[in-house]
Amino acid sequence: MLVLALDTATPASTAALVEVTADGLRGLAERRTVDPRAHGEKLAPEIEATLAESGVGPRDLGAIVAGLGPGPFTGLRVGLVTAASMGQALGIPTYGVCSLDGLGRAAGPGRVLIATDARRREVYFATYLDGVRVLGPDVARPGDVAAAIVRAGTPTRSRARNSAATDAAALAESETLEAAISLVGVDAARVAAALARAEAADLIGQATARDDGVDLTGRQTEAPAAGVDGLVDRAAGEGALKYGGLFNVPVEEHLLYPPGAALVALAAERIRAGAPTEALTPLYLRRPDAVEPAGRKPVLT
């Protein structure tokens, strides 16, 4: 089956043609133009050129996959409206995938931060372990990304250590409470329980501090550095390239925009199963810049 992939969630507009077979994928053609103000002008010619390069027409398509973002309002809706319109006109299903997931899948093994430019000195970001998303998508200032990763926790060896600390803390509180009730009564037991909870917090904090500061319990012992080194192995996306000095990890400069084949791969199971068409709901993580007027302005003085 021939599948068209579209993405306009970043400054790039991308059109790709991918063949989906029973046991794999094969990329046939891809066109991309990087211009944050010209998605509407560039996408349709890219689709036409991509199909022509492969010698096929729109009626040969079996499905369309569209990147849902996150991304700026104006550019993102160009790709989604185009995909939805073509799907309805051709009578073929449309499927949506997170655009960041396309980059995360293409980035391959290891712990990877994907960041795209959200403007306003912010990035849309998510983290991936071996191509699978573990955090996000979200939007934040580049200097706040590390703190967000620490708050959410990361899948590292610290999971077992934090779990053991939490179990030990709960046991310590239970034992202290039981002993206090038997010795001095309920009122004093409540005081003892409060002390036990404080001891529990200290146990968890100690385990976290011993394991690179990664805290899976949601508690944070100290403010993390702005860089994400130690939390991820590398980064990708044009936001990572733009703010690479703040992230302080290697950046995959060849992987800045979602590849069409990776987007199709994320929807491949649905495509092979003949799943029904999906509503292409954009991932808007913040309100658009445009706002409704507060009131009518007087024109007479």
Side-chain angles (χ1 to χ4, degrees):
M1 179 188 299
L2 296 179
V3 179
L4 178 67
L6 304 178
D7 189 88
T8 56
T10 69
S13 56
T14 300
L17 185 65
V18 180
E19 183 180 15
V20 178
T21 64
D23 55 0
L25 305 175
R26 184 167 68 98
L28 302 178
E30 180 169 306
R31 295 293 179 98
R32 176 180 293 117
T33 302
V34 181
D35 188 337
R37 298 182 181 276
H39 294 95
E41 293 82 358
K42 300 296 184 181
L43 186 59
E46 287 174 356
I47 295 172
E48 183 180 15
T50 298
L51 297 179
E53 182 178 338
S54 302
V56 301
R59 292 290 177 186
D60 296 315
L61 297 174
I64 299 175
V65 174
L68 301 177
F73 178 80
T74 302
L76 180 56
R77 65 179 179 177
V78 169
L80 298 185
V81 169
T82 301
S85 300
M86 289 186 65
Q88 291 178 9
L90 298 172
I92 58 177
T94 57
Y95 305 101
V97 297
C98 173
S99 301
L100 298 181
D101 288 356
L103 282 163
R105 183 182 180 92
R111 299 177 301 170
V112 182
L113 167 68
I114 300 299
T116 59
D117 190 6
R119 304 174 187 173
R120 302 184 190 173
R121 299 181 181 178
E122 293 180 331
V123 292
Y124 297 115
F125 73 94
T127 60
Y128 296 80
L129 180 63
D130 299 333
V132 178
R133 183 177 1 131
V134 294
L135 170 65
D138 206 343
V139 60
R141 292 184 177 274
D144 296 333
V145 170
I149 296 175
V150 171
R151 283 196 301 270
T154 55
T156 69
R157 65 185 185 281
S158 63
R159 180 179 298 278
R161 186 172 295 176
N162 276 273
S163 177
T166 302
D167 292 343
L171 179 61
E173 179 176 344
S174 175
E175 291 177 344
T176 303
L177 182 59
E178 182 179 354
I181 291 175
S182 63
L183 291 175
V184 293
V186 175
D187 290 339
R190 290 172 179 167
V191 176
L195 295 174
R197 282 191 291 271
E199 180 182 357
D202 183 61
L203 285 171
I204 295 171
Q206 289 178 25
T208 298
R210 287 195 302 268
D211 199 10
D212 302 326
V214 178
D215 186 355
L216 298 179
T217 65
R219 307 185 187 196
Q220 187 173 320
T221 58
E222 58 184 17
V228 295
D229 46 314
L231 302 174
V232 297
D233 304 319
R234 62 191 192 281
E238 95 280 5
L241 181 63
K242 183 175 182 179
Y243 298 104
L246 288 174
F247 292 140
N248 199 32
V249 292
V251 177
E252 303 280 359
E253 297 188 12
H254 67 284
L255 189 56
L256 302 181
Y257 309 107
L263 297 174
V264 173
L266 292 167
E269 290 187 7
R270 286 172 280 172
I271 294 170
R272 293 190 183 102
T277 192
E278 299 172 352
L280 301 179
T281 304
L283 290 172
Y284 292 136
L285 300 185
R286 65 185 184 201
R287 296 182 62 84
D289 293 330
V291 296
E292 295 183 7
R296 295 185 178 182
K297 296 181 179 180
V299 296
L300 300 176
T301 57

